[in-house]
Every structure is written in C-alpha cells, then in structure tokens.
Amino acid sequence: MAGPIRFRRDTRQWTSERVDRDLYAPLHSRFGAKRRAPAHDPPPGYEACQLRMDNGDLALFAWGEDAFWLGNTETPKSLWRTDKYTFSEVPYPVARWAQRELLTELQVSDPWLAEYAYVSWYFLPVLFSKDGQETTRAFFREHASGFPDATREEGLQFYDRLLSATDLDDHRYTMASKLGTSEAVDLVRMRATMAEFNAAKLLTDTGYDYTPEVALDSGHALDFRVHEPNTLVEVTRPEPPTRRRAGTPAAALRETVGGKTNDQLSAHADAVVFADCSSFRDDEWNAVAADRPAAGHEPAVVYRMRPDGTVAGYTRGDVPLALDALLE
C-alpha cells in the first residue's frame, strides 16, 4: 500500500532535455503521458513542469541546483535511489509551489472540497496519495466526515473550523496519514482517525498544551501527551450497536474500550481514555448520557461532538484534566 505523497530530492544536474528522456519518456511508454507547464510560476531559481498520465495520475517536477519530484504515479527509475521528504522538510518555496499546484488541481476536480481551505491543505498528503485519493475524498463527500445524520457541508465546516483553531501543523503527516492511503473505504478506521482530531479540539478548547502520537518506552504509542498536568491520553471511537454485534450503546462503549485495555492501556493504566461517541445517533447517545455507564477503564472521558461544535459527555474515575465545564 502506497503512503502519503512525499517529495523525492535529487542533487544531480537536470535539464529540460533530461526531463524528457528520463521522466517523460518512460512514463509515456508505461501509461501514456503529457508534459505540461505548471499552473503557477515555479519557485525562484527553478524550472518546473507537470506530467499527466492518461490514467489520471499526476507528477510535479522542479529542477535547479537540485531537483524535486512529487507524484502519485510510478516513480521513474532515474529517481529510485533518492530520499523522500515531507512538505515541511523541503525548501519553503518548493513546498509552497507544489501545494498551490495541488490545490488548484483540487479546485478543478473537487471544488466542493477545495472550498474548505484548512481541510484541503491539511489532508493534501492523502488527498493526492496513490491509493488513498479516491477513498479519502469519498469519506468527506459521502460520509459527512464521520458524523451520522449530518450533511457533507456540516462535516467539512466542523473540521475546517477545528483545523484553523488547533496547532496540529507540525504533525500533519502523522495525523493526516491515519485517514488512510488504502484503496478501500474503511469507515471504522476513518472515523477513528477523526476522533483524534476531536480529542485535539477538546484539549485545545480547555487550554491544554499537548503532543500527538507519543512513542513510549513500553513499545506502545499513545495518541496524546498533555504537558501540564503530565497526562497520557488514548482515544477510542465506539461503533454504535447498529454497526456491530454489541446489543446496546453501553455495550458498544465497553467493547471498544476493552480492546484498548488489552493493549496500550494495560501497559499504561494511569492513561485517560477518551471515548468519542460521535458516531452515535441521538437516540443511541441519549441512552449513554442518561445512564453514564462505565467505559471499562478509568479514568475515562465519554463524550459526543456534533457538527455545530457542541459537545456533551461525562467523566469516570479520577480524571486529572479539567474538562467538566466543556461537557454540557
């Protein structure tokens, strides 16, 4: 399975003639290809082009003192031994140019998505990945970004606001890549990914500083470390009983958290589990909110977010984070 798109950097000398010989020619022979001028001016000191394949794949190439390739197609042999870099790891003018090219492409192919600037920018690494570009766009288009009983626009508006307000830019590849670069739409995994963004919103709205995706000496990685007070957070998103064997919303909650207690939470029993019930419909959530059942691990925060930004929930056990004021 291909990962999120990354640049390949080549330090050898490139010319327009070499681009035709070593990039365009093999791609044209393999897929059928067209070499075109970029939609935007290249970075200062560089020449650049687009390479468009007949199967819909796209590659960008800029060359000057060094050269940068970015694409969701087969990498030509001449670039196989080059190293890969994220948008933040290449010179800013190169990254800015490439992202402008991709955002312009998105405006043509999916204007309904390009309208949401923060979502479009943040998820570019998967929106243009080889295996994930169709599935990630389908998730935002057809599944309301994971919210039940919501419109596409409501889901996108929620995450556009969230990404504009949370400081997740330094973790873009880690967080965005979790949405998926696979050829199949995996709604369970995709909704679980968005639960981590929901947790980031909960922490941001209550004023906590945090780091996502924390690797620990136990060999496990937990979703967040809150810096003050020092608290580990693991996020889980129960699938409602209409989508799983669990017969009640409370059973669905315990079953999902139980999967974590046999893994990350068994090694870090003092971590707080955030059980995000945002996949629950109103009647399913109302049953949980009324009974406030145990989650199968304490301390725990059980909550549901809605596309309008409201959140409701409760805590179980000695939660060291002051969240009660936010949980209506």
Side-chain angles (χ1 to χ4, degrees), residues 230-246:
N230 184 23
T231 306
L232 292 171
V233 173
E234 180 65 13
V235 182
T236 185
R237 184 161 178 163
E239 286 290 298
T242 52
R243 302 193 193 117
R244 62 189 305 153
R245 293 175 299 171

Side-chain angles (χ1 to χ4, degrees), residues 77-107:
K77 186 176 181 179
S78 60
L79 297 172
W80 282 359
R81 296 183 181 276
T82 54
D83 293 328
K84 296 180 181 180
Y85 299 88
T86 67
F87 284 117
S88 63
E89 293 171 338
V90 301
Y92 173 74
V94 173
R96 181 176 182 272
W97 166 75
Q99 290 177 109
R100 291 181 71 193
E101 291 287 312
L102 297 182
L103 289 170
T104 296
E105 190 73 15
L106 196 65
Q107 288 170 358

Side-chain angles (χ1 to χ4, degrees), residues 63-316:
W63 65 97
E65 289 188 6
D66 51 5
F68 293 92
W69 160 277
L70 183 73
N72 54 19
T73 192
E74 183 178 288
T75 303
K77 186 176 181 179
S78 60
L79 297 172
W80 282 359
R81 296 183 181 276
T82 54
D83 293 328
K84 296 180 181 180
Y85 299 88
T86 67
F87 284 117
S88 63
E89 293 171 338
V90 301
Y92 173 74
V94 173
R96 181 176 182 272
W97 166 75
Q99 290 177 109
R100 291 181 71 193
E101 291 287 312
L102 297 182
L103 289 170
T104 296
E105 190 73 15
L106 196 65
Q107 288 170 358
V108 174
S109 63
D110 295 279
W112 57 270
L113 181 55
E115 179 182 346
Y116 300 92
Y118 289 97
V119 171
S120 298
W121 178 85
Y122 199 88
F123 288 101
L124 273 182
V126 290
L127 291 172
F128 282 91
S129 67
K130 174 61 178 174
D131 292 334
Q133 59 180 336
E134 297 299 330
T135 54
T136 50
R137 297 180 198 202
F139 177 69
F140 288 122
R141 182 180 62 246
E142 300 168 13
H143 301 284
S145 305
F147 287 112
D149 305 326
T151 66
R152 176 181 76 191
E153 291 75 18
E154 288 170 338
L156 285 166
Q157 288 167 6
F158 174 85
Y159 286 108
D160 214 51
R161 292 192 302 267
L162 186 157
L163 287 168
S164 72
T166 51
D167 186 17
L168 294 171
D169 290 2
D170 289 344
H171 306 277
R172 180 185 184 189
Y173 267 75
T174 298
M175 296 287 286
S177 297
K178 292 183 180 184
L179 187 58
T181 54
S182 63
E183 295 179 336
V185 175
D186 184 342
L187 288 179
V188 174
R189 180 178 48 72
M190 288 174 148
R191 283 189 287 254
T193 295
M194 303 316 289
E196 295 187 29
F197 288 93
N198 295 350
K201 173 177 170 55
L202 197 61
L203 293 170
T204 297
D205 288 351
T206 45
Y208 288 109
D209 187 23
Y210 54 86
T211 299
E213 198 63 16
V214 182
L216 301 169
D217 292 340
S218 64
H220 295 283
L222 269 68
D223 293 319
F224 294 94
R225 181 188 292 278
V226 177
H227 297 160
E228 183 60 43
N230 184 23
T231 306
L232 292 171
V233 173
E234 180 65 13
V235 182
T236 185
R237 184 161 178 163
E239 286 290 298
T242 52
R243 302 193 193 117
R244 62 189 305 153
R245 293 175 299 171
T248 67
L253 170 63
R254 289 192 300 270
E255 185 178 305
T256 302
V257 174
K260 298 286 187 177
T261 59
N262 294 327
D263 193 9
Q264 295 100 319
L265 297 178
S266 64
H268 301 279
D270 58 343
V272 181
V273 65
F274 276 26
D276 181 354
C277 298
S278 298
S279 294
F280 284 24
R281 299 191 313 262
D282 288 347
D283 59 326
E284 295 163 337
W285 169 249
N286 290 340
V288 172
D291 295 339
R292 299 193 167 207
H297 171 86
E298 293 184 3
V301 184
V302 182
Y303 58 94
R304 184 180 74 146
M305 288 192 177
R306 298 298 294 144
D308 63 4
T310 59
V311 58
Y314 61 93
T315 60
R316 297 283 304 217

